[in-house]
Each structure stands twice: as C-alpha cells, then as structure tokens.
Amino acid sequence: AQSVSQHNHHVILSEAASLELGCNYSYGGTVNLFWYVQYPGQHLQLLLKYFSGDPLVKGIKGFEAEFIKSKFSFNLRKPSVQWSDTAEYFCAVNAPQAAGNKLTFGGGTRVLVKP
Amino acid sequence: DVKVTQSSRYLVKRTGEKVFLECVQDMDHENMFWYRQDPGLGLRLIYFSYDVKMKEKGDIPEGYSVSREKKERFSLILESASTNQTSMYLCASTFSGISTGGYTFGSGTRLTVV
C-alpha cells in the first residue's frame, strides 16, 4: 500500500518569501502525484498534478512541483508567496493500476503568510 | 463545472445514533469516495466505490458502512455514532480514467458527536 509523508505540519512566512513544501511517498510502482490546496472555509482544489513526462510541473497561481523519482519526492514550490496563499496544502499519490483510483494523502501542511 | 454536493454542512448527533451522510455528484463519475479529515492526519480514506452497488474498504472503515444504489449518490453510514467519529467528512468523485484530472471534492460535512 502507498503512503505519503509531508515534512512540515506548519509553516509561517512573510509575503514575498519563497515557499517549499516537502512530500515523500512510498510505493514501488508507477504513481500519479498531486498537490491539493484548501483555503480557509473552502473545499479542496487541485493545484497541480504529475502523470508522466517533464518532471517539473507547473500549476495554478504560480505554483510548481518537481518529481524526483530516485528520491520518491514531489516537492511543491512558489518563488514569492502572497497573503492569499494562506491555506492548507496536501500532497497525494495514486497508483493508477489499482482499482477505484483511490488517492492516498499526506498529513497536510498549514501555511500562514504574514502580510 | 462538476459539482459534488454534500447534504449537510454541519451536523450534531448523539452517541449511539445512526447517522447518514449523503453525497451527490452530477458528472456521471464512476468512482466516489468518502474521506475523513482530521488535523495533522490529512485525509484518510474510509470507503470508495467504483460502480453502482460496488464498494471497497479504505484505510479506516471500522464503524462505517456505505451504500451506492445509484451512480450519482454515495452515502456514508455511521451505524452507532461515537465521539471519536467527530470529524470533517469529505466526499469526492472522479472518472475511472484519472488521467483526465484530479478528484472533485464536496464542501464537507463537519460532524460533531456528543
């Protein structure tokens, strides 16, 4: 079974700072990788996804993530954060050959951006 | 836009009550899921269904059951609610071919068991 770990539970930073959130997964086969974001009081939204091809994936709102297969990692980055990036971020992995396309999520990272 | 609708935003129930959480999606998705979200634990899969009347246990199915009589509706049932089932419950759906995108989530039901 796959598992996902996110290194930080809470991150606090100032506007214009750079953000990097770590995500590691454990699964021996082919995986699809996702980052979701949950803004305060809102439902989960897809930020970006990786299925195959270029390991550097660009998503919405200036976010990007890099898949490093040898490290089983899929870290999320943003060069310059804004106050509106305050949210909880979830990394998730899916094994496409498994029945039902179930996603396994990490524990989430709460990001607070100070104005 | 795909919509996943959960019937209640907030729910308060007593210990021992039978609780039904309803989820409806309007995009003909084959797969539907129930997660619970707890601080520091992320989202944990309770049950999922990849077809009508089909169901599979997720990672934490104990104390829960599900029903999928129609393609668009997936119900989560707490047979006898307990305080440790106080949580945010999220429903999600997707096509069977996930390469077309990610999941679509509902807004969640915050259940408090007293």
Side-chain angles (χ1 to χ4, degrees), chain A residues 2 11 48 62 67 75 96 103:
Chain A
Q2 59 261 37
V11 171
L48 47 79
F67 171 49
N75 293 352
L103 274 179

Side-chain angles (χ1 to χ4, degrees), chain A residues 18-64:
Chain A
S18 64
L19 173 70
E20 180 160 359
L21 303 182
C23 171
N24 285 90
Y25 68 93
S26 66
Y27 186 74
T30 303
V31 292
N32 297 324
L33 297 154
F34 304 81
W35 275 98
Y36 281 84
V37 61
Q38 188 173 33
Y39 298 104
Q42 296 188 26
H43 59 269
L44 277 161
Q45 302 171 42
L46 181 66
L47 259 185
L48 47 79
K49 61 186 186 287
Y50 172 80
F51 293 144
S52 64
D54 188 344
L56 185 61
V57 179
K58 294 197 184 298
I60 61 172
K61 307 189 182 197
F63 284 90
E64 65 180 30

Side-chain angles (χ1 to χ4, degrees), chain B residues 34 41 77 89 99:
Chain B
W34 276 106
L41 297 176
I77 304 154
Y89 289 88
S99 61

